[in-house]
Structure formats: C-alpha cells, structure tokens
Amino acid sequence: MRRPSALAALAVTVSTLVAPATATAAPPPASSERAAPSTRVVVEDLPRGAAPRVDVLVGRTLIHRGRAVTVRLPGGGRPELALGTWAGKPIVGHFAAGGVRFFTVAGNGRATPLGTRAFDFYNQLPQLVRATGHLVLGLFDRGGADPVYTVVDAASGAELLRTTDVDELAPADRRVVLRWTANPSKNVSARSRDGRVELAVRNAYYSSPTRLIIRRTSDHHALTRFRFPWFTGLQVTGDAVRVVASQAVFENRRSFLVLGVVRPGTATTQPRYAVVRCTVAGVCERATSTARSISVAGADALSFTSDQ
C-alpha cells in the first residue's frame, strides 16, 4: 500500500463550458498557452468561498453536500481518504494493517465498516466508479510484476474480483484502470467527466511558478492559466510549492478544485493545506479551512508523472 505523504495525499476537480470546434485550425498549444488569460494565485491570500461540491475530508471533518460533520470511526481512528458518495452514503477510507478499510458515514458522522477487511493498493489512490458501484484499487509492483486490480462492491464492501487481466474488468472499471496505466498525456493531472477539458501542468516540481492550464482535450487549446509562485525565504523541509498539482479534480462545468499549500513544512512547523477552487473565468478562492491532511474525492485519477 502506498501511504501518501501530506503533499501527495489527497485532492481536486475542474470543469468548464467549451465552445464547439470550428473548421479553423487552433494555434499550436504553446502559442495558445501564452495567449490565454493568466491569474497569479497566492493560496494564503485567497478569500474564503463556498464549500466544495464534491466530498472532501479536512482532517476528521467530512464536507458532504455543503454540510460539515465530524467522522467517528469505530475504535477512534482517523479517516484519510474521501472516495465520494454511493447510494446516498459518503464513503471514506482509513489506512489500516493490510491496506485501506472502507466505511460509510451517516449524517451524524458515525462511520460503519464496509465489509470486514482491508484491501492493498500502491501508487494510485482507490477510485469510486459510479457507473458500476465499484471501488477499484490497483497494486503496482515496484519490481515490474504485472499490476493487480481489486474490485470491491461499494454497497457491501465485498471483494468481487482480483485480477491482473484488465479484460476481466467491467468496461467502466477498465476505463479507470487504463487512465492509470495508459494516460497519453503524463502532464495532465485531471480531466472533466465528459472528457472535453483537462488540466495540464507545467513546473510541478522543479521551478517556480507552477502553472495549471485549463485546455481543450481535443486540440490542447488553452482557455485559462493559473500561476502558483513557490514559497521563498523559508527553510522548507520539502518542496516549496504552493499547489500539489497531482491532486486535482473537476468540480463542475465551470470550476476545478486543487490541493493548495497555505504554509510549507519547515524544521519547526508542519505543512498546512486548503482546497482551492479556480474557475474558467480566472477567479480563485479557498473552498475549505486549513488542515494538515486533506482528501478530495476523485483526485489522483490519472497517472500524472511529469510536468513537461
């Protein structure tokens, strides 16, 4: 199981209205990126906006349909993953011996186990597939062995399938797995549900500022850019980034969510995060309070590995 660090642990959403294609050829991606409107984003200075429209865990607090509730796991553990909602019940994950255990959360915050066991995974966060009602996990071996895929019933927590053959998966589950293993654009960290727009990333790891670009999937024409300058003047113990670019997800047809860094980790302080909402109009705001651990349902859905 991969136990994500705070920086790489949980995440985001974007979606936008896109003008229909015309017969006129779009400019090359680099040209359209330079021409697209650009917004500078300093996370700690952003105003507070509306609550996220997807499930988000902020520490022990689950934000579901705009309402916040403290999650109470059996035995007093802390949930680490927001998976989304199935059959009207939000699902969260808790890292445990053997992998991750799943729980449904009631309106009063009480968590009920889904099934009786934990499931192993590595390198990609588990995903809830709404088309099938399944939780899909991937175990990607560092030694080069074939990945192992586990399919869990989101209603009962029962294991339905464990296989190395993607052809054995239901079509919707297979599409999730292929986004992990065969994502053609390694610099894309999120894609809208209808597939029409995506979030491209530049300078995720190596230089400031980190840039997020909303662009059309079909021709990579840039619609809006966001520049997140790195922190300076601090003895940062990890990356000095202001945004965790891999942890993004499209929220609706006008906005995306991404995990922003309010304060980096230093020798004497732990990092703190907040969910940032940015719109195709170039406006950004904070959608949550700050915390040391935040998880956004649907994040880590693509095999984002590069910033070029």
Side-chain angles (χ1 to χ4, degrees):
M1 177 192 71
R2 179 181 73 169
R3 294 178 182 271
S5 67
L7 265 178
L10 313 162
V12 187
T13 311
V14 176
S15 191
T16 177
L17 292 172
V18 180
T22 68
T24 302
S31 174
S32 70
E33 284 185 17
R34 289 192 296 269
S38 180
T39 298
R40 185 174 185 268
V41 184
V42 178
V43 176
E44 62 270 30
D45 293 340
L46 292 176
R48 183 68 179 270
R53 288 182 283 269
V54 301
D55 289 353
V56 175
L57 268 172
V58 182
R60 294 176 182 268
T61 300
L62 175 67
I63 302 173
H64 171 65
R65 294 178 178 172
R67 180 175 177 267
V69 63
T70 300
V71 178
R72 295 178 286 112
L73 295 182
R78 182 175 65 84
E80 291 91 359
L81 295 177
L83 278 301
T85 298
W86 177 251
K89 298 178 181 179
I91 299 174
V92 299
H94 169 57
F95 298 141
V100 59
R101 289 204 65 181
F102 300 115
F103 299 81
T104 58
V105 181
N108 62 2
R110 181 181 178 183
T112 301
L114 268 177
T116 59
R117 51 164 290 203
F119 298 92
D120 54 355
F121 72 98
Y122 184 81
N123 205 45
Q124 297 287 155
L125 296 178
Q127 297 290 321
L128 171 64
V129 185
R130 290 180 177 83
T132 58
H134 296 161
L135 295 159
V136 177
L137 304 89
L139 182 64
F140 295 85
D141 188 274
R142 285 182 172 179
D146 289 340
V148 179
Y149 307 109
T150 303
V151 178
V152 177
D153 182 9
S156 67
E159 180 180 306
L160 302 177
L161 178 67
R162 187 173 175 87
T163 181
T164 59
D165 185 356
V166 295
D167 290 334
E168 294 185 11
L169 301 173
D173 296 343
R174 188 184 310 126
R175 285 193 291 271
V176 169
V177 166
L178 291 177
R179 287 196 294 266
W180 288 341
T181 60
N183 178 25
S185 300
K186 297 300 184 182
N187 67 326
V188 172
S189 66
R191 192 166 286 122
S192 63
R193 188 174 296 183
D194 62 10
R196 295 173 68 185
V197 293
E198 60 190 19
L199 194 65
V201 182
R202 307 286 185 236
N203 301 338
Y205 308 122
Y206 304 116
S207 62
S208 177
T210 298
R211 301 196 306 276
L212 306 184
I213 302 121
I214 302 177
R215 69 186 190 186
R216 290 196 298 251
T217 304
S218 59
D219 60 5
H220 294 181
H221 179 78
L223 304 174
T224 312
R225 296 179 296 159
F226 302 92
R227 297 175 291 112
F228 291 77
W230 286 29
F231 290 98
T232 59
L234 296 172
Q235 296 298 314
V236 178
T237 55
D239 291 331
V241 297
R242 270 193 173 88
V243 63
V244 186
S246 64
Q247 300 301 312
V249 64
F250 280 84
E251 186 181 42
N252 55 36
R253 302 201 71 182
R254 298 295 303 173
S255 65
F256 71 91
L257 303 174
V258 66
L259 189 63
V261 183
V262 176
R263 186 184 69 199
T266 68
T268 58
T269 61
Q270 294 190 17
R272 294 191 71 84
Y273 306 91
V275 173
V276 173
R277 173 187 292 111
C278 294
T279 73
V280 70
V283 178
C284 295
E285 62 189 10
R286 278 197 272 178
T288 69
S289 58
T290 67
R292 290 194 296 267
S293 175
I294 293 181
S295 172
V296 181
D300 210 40
L302 296 179
S303 56
F304 174 80
T305 59
S306 172
D307 64 347
Q308 299 301 323

